[in-house]
Amino acid sequence: MRRLIALAFVTLLVAIPLSAEAQKKGGVLKIGNLGEPPSLDPHWGTQTITEVLANHIHEGLYALDEGYRPIPMLADGMPAVSRDGLTYTIKLRKGIKFHNGKEMTSDDVVASLVRWGKRSVYGKSLFAQIADFKATDRHTVELKLKEKSAIVLVSLAVPNNMGA
């Protein structure tokens, strides 16, 4: 029995690579999937297959936890909300890199969410209530509402038609 356990342990050690390999550019990614998505653009489609795949490629400022409450993803914590409830100041996590190595900045977030606001069902609903949306520094965005709204965070966190 001890020899069998020792043999299994040695086999396991040989099967597990001891060092991580560097990433290689190019190649083919093969996955098992239930169908062909019409697009991988999370701003455009509401198809479940697009959502499932896009959520493994794109990230938003917020996500939903197991209780469907918004939690930070690319945001560095929950937003600071002004006393009147009209201004949301969102700090971004620093050091987040795109696939090309470029760091994510507030200008990237503004460009992405403005696009989302023109295309997505959730984005259109939220942006209809926004008076101003801008970058205030390299890692901060500010969203000013026309009037108080309860849909700001959940709109930014919803996974389908997500604000990536």
Side-chain angles (χ1 to χ4, degrees), residues 44 116-129 161:
W44 195 251
W116 172 70
K118 292 176 182 173
R119 294 182 163 227
S120 161
V121 172
Y122 295 105
K124 287 177 183 178
S125 294
L126 179 59
F127 269 80
Q129 300 177 37
N161 219 205

Side-chain angles (χ1 to χ4, degrees), residues 33 35-41 44-51 53:
N33 199 32
E36 188 70 29
S39 167
L40 292 176
D41 184 346
W44 195 251
T46 58
Q47 304 84 1
T48 300
I49 193 166
T50 298
E51 173 191 346
L53 293 173

Side-chain angles (χ1 to χ4, degrees), residues 19-151:
S19 63
E21 293 183 28
Q23 294 178 354
K24 297 176 190 173
K25 190 172 186 170
V28 175
L29 173 65
K30 294 181 181 182
I31 61 168
N33 199 32
L34 294 175
E36 188 70 29
S39 167
L40 292 176
D41 184 346
H43 294 171
W44 195 251
T46 58
Q47 304 84 1
T48 300
I49 193 166
T50 298
E51 173 191 346
V52 169
L53 293 173
N55 283 327
H56 292 287
I57 300 169
H58 309 282
E59 292 182 336
L61 293 175
Y62 297 94
L64 297 175
D65 70 8
E66 64 279 352
Y68 299 100
R69 293 175 300 260
I71 56 171
M73 184 176 257
L74 294 175
D76 187 13
M78 299 307 281
V81 182
S82 63
R83 291 183 76 98
D84 64 5
L86 298 178
T87 303
Y88 287 68
T89 302
I90 302 169
K91 298 280 186 188
L92 306 177
R93 288 175 41 205
K94 295 177 182 170
I96 301 297
K97 306 261 177 158
F98 288 107
H99 66 284
N100 62 3
K102 181 183 170 232
E103 184 180 14
M104 178 189 74
T105 68
S106 54
D107 289 335
D108 298 314
V109 171
V110 169
S112 293
L113 291 182
V114 165
R115 179 183 188 271
W116 172 70
K118 292 176 182 173
R119 294 182 163 227
S120 161
V121 172
Y122 295 105
K124 287 177 183 178
S125 294
L126 179 59
F127 269 80
Q129 300 177 37
I130 292 177
D132 190 29
F133 181 54
K134 64 184 177 186
T136 58
D137 67 34
R138 185 167 170 80
H139 292 101
T140 309
V141 294
E142 185 179 82
L143 183 149
K144 290 189 180 187
L145 299 172
K146 296 173 186 172
E147 57 188 42
K148 282 186 180 182
S149 174
I151 70 165

